[in-house]
Amino acid sequence: MQIGVSATLPAQNLHVFQARRGSFKCRQPSPLNPLTRPNPSSQKPASSAELTRQHLSNLEKLLQTKTLTQPEPVVNGSTDNKGRGLLEGLNLSRIWPETRAAEEMSPRHLNRLKRLLSKTMEYSPRNNLGSRWREYHGCNDWSGLLDPLDENLRREVVRYGEFVQAAYHGFHSNPAMSTDKAPLPRHVALPDRSYKVTKSLYATSSIGLPEWVDDVAPNLGWMTQRSSWIGFVAVCDDKREIQRMGRRDVVIALRGTATCMEWAENLRAQLVPISESDDPTQKVECGFLSLHKTRGAHVPSLAESVVEEVKRLMEAYKGESLSITITGHSLGAALSLLVADEISSCASQVPPIAVFSFGGPKVGNKGFVNRLNQKNVKVLRVVNGQDLITRVPGVFVGEGPKQQQEKHENNGFKRVLHKIDDNNPWAYSHVGTELRVDTKMSPYLKPDADVACCHDLEAYLHLVDGYLSSNCPFRSNAKRSLVKLVHDQRSNMKQLYTHRALTLNLERDRLRVPIPSCLPSPSS
């Protein structure tokens, strides 16, 4: 049934409505309205069913979009917008807060995420450190460089972390060692081609499994060996890089725990005196000292190897400006402090020594801290606030945020805590200056990431690359690749990125091209 105009309007007003309707013209006819298109072949009005079908057809054509697998052609640097849907023009983040939160935690554009998930090498600009190299090496305990984090220091910290990644890769590529003969020289793929490896380093446990264990389980292999390759010494031999850095740099990189014997040494957490010290109050953890000082059947101790190589390099580059940088993760971070203590007194004029550690546990007591300070060893500890390894060994006396310590001091507990620390054999203390990052601040990692993720070295480098300041914990222009993080910590990544990685065929690429063990330093 059709309802005419006369049925809906009073008769006396009909001439007014018709006059106005006749004067009204649509300047831009809607593409959805089929009546705006002339039909010369027929003057008959279309039925309601035909009008409905034509409306739907036009609407479908207007809202049609192309898939990501068929990108729009680029003309003169811009893309054609015909394929965009109407919803893309809406700012949904103003309507639904949940959408805004998802937008804030995700890259703004798909191209940005593609780049973060790509394996394309993207080296950062290497600024000339020149006369400031001592400052970046810690002569002033990195004062004024940590909050906000200086872009040059960020790059140096990440670069030294990648040397530790190379140590991990060098061990896992060939973990077994022969018990009958000395090991052959080992090739290490360095992340920085301006350095060359000059010495392989080995750590030996003073404890071992009973002989019957090998008879019962002969396939345990390298997990039960006492001596293992743990790192390397490398020296910069590129003239342009030496000029950029302002000195020739010697790097000592040490990996973290990887064998059963090393785990066993980690559990020997009692404090013991340092044999070379005249002060009996200077103590370090028994297990760490064992791995540092014990000789192997065919390899010298870690302490002997490092001292011998440092002396050789000092003599080889005598008269040049040198620096010694020791870097390590987890167990390697603990051994870095012992190595620094060892080489700081191996000669009369030792070059400046700095330690860049990642996720390191406590190594000694306050006496050991004072010992390193007296030797002018500079230590920058990169600590993840969610990493439990950085809180052990020992008891938590005197540990905690500054607010908590100030509360204790205000309540009169300061002298009590110091008394307990001085007489407690488990009173460990951290060394050096702290750069604190936090897993919860990453827009890519889950805030409740597990212990393994919070201690993972790649997660550390990801957080350092993103860290800007205490007021802005993660910068929006962080550029470190997410490939290795997604591959190693997929269960700890937010689903938005794991799903997007699958959309971008990351799995297929990973099967075709092996993921590099050391990713390039981020752009600043």
Side-chain angles (χ1 to χ4, degrees):
M1 176 179 179
Q2 296 183 351
I3 302 178
V5 177
S6 60
T8 58
L9 293 175
Q12 64 271 19
N13 296 330
L14 180 59
H15 67 284
V16 178
F17 174 77
Q18 291 176 342
R20 292 180 180 178
R21 185 180 62 175
S23 62
F24 177 78
K25 295 183 180 179
C26 181
R27 295 182 179 180
Q28 296 181 353
S30 171
L32 301 180
N33 188 359
L35 295 179
T36 59
R37 300 181 181 180
N39 188 1
S41 62
S42 176
Q43 299 297 331
K44 296 181 181 181
S47 65
S48 60
E50 293 176 351
L51 290 176
T52 301
R53 284 196 297 269
Q54 196 162 358
H55 273 297
L56 293 177
S57 176
N58 292 334
L59 182 60
E60 182 180 1
K61 292 179 181 179
L62 186 64
L63 296 179
Q64 183 180 6
T65 58
K66 295 186 178 181
T67 60
L68 293 177
T69 57
Q70 297 176 351
E72 294 288 350
V74 178
V75 180
N76 296 329
S78 62
T79 58
D80 191 358
N81 295 329
K82 291 182 180 180
R84 292 188 178 181
L86 294 179
L87 293 180
E88 294 185 14
L90 299 178
N91 189 354
L92 298 182
S93 62
R94 296 183 179 180
I95 303 176
W96 292 288
E98 294 81 1
T99 307
R100 180 176 60 184
E103 182 181 354
E104 290 176 354
M105 76 173 232
S106 64
R108 186 175 297 274
H109 301 290
L110 180 61
N111 290 337
R112 170 174 169 79
L113 185 56
K114 282 184 177 179
R115 181 178 53 77
L116 291 175
L117 291 172
S118 70
K119 292 182 279 291
T120 303
M121 292 294 182
E122 183 178 352
Y123 290 97
S124 65
R126 300 190 175 191
N127 298 328
N128 195 323
L129 302 183
S131 59
R132 295 188 62 191
W133 75 264
R134 293 181 182 273
E135 184 180 354
Y136 287 109
H137 205 247
C139 68
N140 297 324
D141 296 315
W142 297 277
S143 176
L145 299 176
L146 299 178
D147 194 6
L149 182 59
D150 183 88
E151 62 180 20
N152 292 322
L153 180 59
R154 177 191 293 113
R155 184 194 186 282
E156 293 298 296
V157 171
V158 173
R159 184 168 66 96
Y160 288 127
E162 289 172 349
F163 277 101
V164 183
Q165 285 186 325
Y168 273 111
H169 181 71
F171 170 76
H172 289 295
S173 62
N174 184 20
M177 284 185 58
S178 174
T179 58
D180 300 328
K181 56 184 179 180
L184 297 174
R186 181 174 301 214
H187 172 74
V188 181
L190 294 182
D192 194 329
R193 295 181 180 179
S194 60
Y195 286 76
K196 67 175 182 180
V197 175
T198 62
K199 185 81 170 182
S200 288
L201 303 176
Y202 300 86
T204 302
S205 171
S206 61
I207 60 176
L209 296 179
E211 295 182 358
W212 58 265
V213 174
D214 291 333
D215 298 332
V216 175
N219 295 326
L220 288 180
W222 60 271
M223 295 295 292
T224 60
Q225 65 190 22
R226 291 181 57 194
S227 297
S228 298
W229 190 90
I230 198 167
F232 58 89
V233 180
V235 61
C236 182
D237 66 344
D238 183 85
K239 293 183 179 180
R240 295 181 61 181
E241 183 66 5
I242 293 173
Q243 183 179 6
R244 184 195 70 83
M245 293 191 299
R247 86 284 188 190
R248 186 186 295 271
D249 188 33
V250 177
V251 172
I252 302 172
L254 303 172
R255 62 165 175 82
T257 308
T259 69
C260 288
M261 294 300 95
E262 292 168 359
W263 279 113
E265 292 286 15
N266 290 342
L267 298 178
R268 301 173 64 190
Q270 66 271 25
L271 288 166
V272 296
I274 302 174
S275 57
E276 294 84 2
S277 176
D278 297 331
D279 187 351
T281 64
Q282 297 177 352
K283 300 179 180 180
V284 296
E285 199 222 45
C286 176
F288 298 153
L289 187 63
S290 171
L291 290 170
H292 180 59
K293 289 288 191 180
T294 305
R295 291 180 55 91
H298 301 285
V299 293
S301 67
L302 176 60
E304 293 171 338
S305 297
V306 169
V307 169
E308 177 185 359
E309 184 62 12
V310 167
K311 286 183 176 180
R312 187 188 72 82
L313 294 175
M314 288 174 57
E315 183 64 27
Y317 302 108
K318 189 174 183 180
E320 294 188 28
S321 179
L322 293 177
S323 67
I324 299 177
T325 306
I326 311 169
T327 181
H329 170 248
S330 191
L331 171 63
L335 295 177
S336 295
L337 297 179
L338 298 179
V339 168
D341 175 62
E342 191 77 33
I343 64 178
S344 62
S345 55
C346 69
S348 57
Q349 294 182 346
V350 179
I353 300 174
V355 177
F356 292 83
S357 67
F358 302 86
K362 290 176 281 188
V363 178
N365 61 359
K366 288 185 176 180
F368 178 65
V369 175
N370 296 332
R371 176 184 173 91
L372 291 182
N373 291 335
Q374 292 171 2
K375 293 185 174 184
N376 202 31
V377 174
K378 301 301 181 179
V379 180
L380 179 61
R381 296 186 306 108
V382 183
V383 176
N384 183 355
Q386 308 300 315
D387 187 1
L388 297 178
I389 302 300
T390 61
R391 307 177 190 177
V392 296
V395 295
F396 299 118
V397 176
E399 295 289 331
K402 290 183 179 180
Q403 295 82 354
Q404 183 178 355
Q405 296 182 16
E406 292 174 357
K407 180 180 179 180
H408 289 327
E409 293 177 5
N410 295 335
N411 292 336
F413 289 120
K414 180 177 180 180
R415 283 183 291 180
V416 175
L417 291 177
H418 278 274
K419 188 70 174 178
I420 294 175
D421 283 348
D422 293 338
N423 296 276
N424 187 355
W426 293 87
Y428 282 79
S429 295
H430 275 303
V431 184
T433 305
E434 179 182 283
L435 172 60
R436 181 169 289 267
V437 294
D438 199 315
T439 304
K440 294 181 179 180
M441 297 299 103
S442 170
Y444 307 99
L445 294 172
K446 294 179 180 178
D448 58 345
D450 58 32
V451 176
C453 176
C454 294
H455 188 60
D456 181 68
L457 178 57
E458 179 59 33
Y460 263 92
L461 300 186
H462 164 71
L463 295 174
V464 172
D465 172 44
Y467 181 80
L468 185 62
S469 67
S470 57
N471 296 328
C472 183
F474 207 94
R475 60 188 182 133
S476 59
N477 62 335
K479 293 182 173 64
R480 185 168 182 83
S481 173
L482 297 176
V483 173
K484 195 171 189 301
L485 197 63
V486 172
H487 175 251
D488 296 341
Q489 302 296 335
R490 172 160 300 182
S491 61
N492 294 295
M493 296 285 291
K494 292 180 179 178
Q495 291 185 356
L496 172 66
Y497 302 101
T498 55
H499 291 171
R500 181 61 68 184
L502 293 176
T503 303
L504 297 175
N505 294 326
L506 180 62
E507 281 295 317
R508 186 184 306 172
D509 293 340
R510 183 176 66 84
L511 294 177
R512 287 202 305 257
V513 182
I515 294 178
S517 60
C518 302
L519 296 174
S521 299
S523 298
S524 57

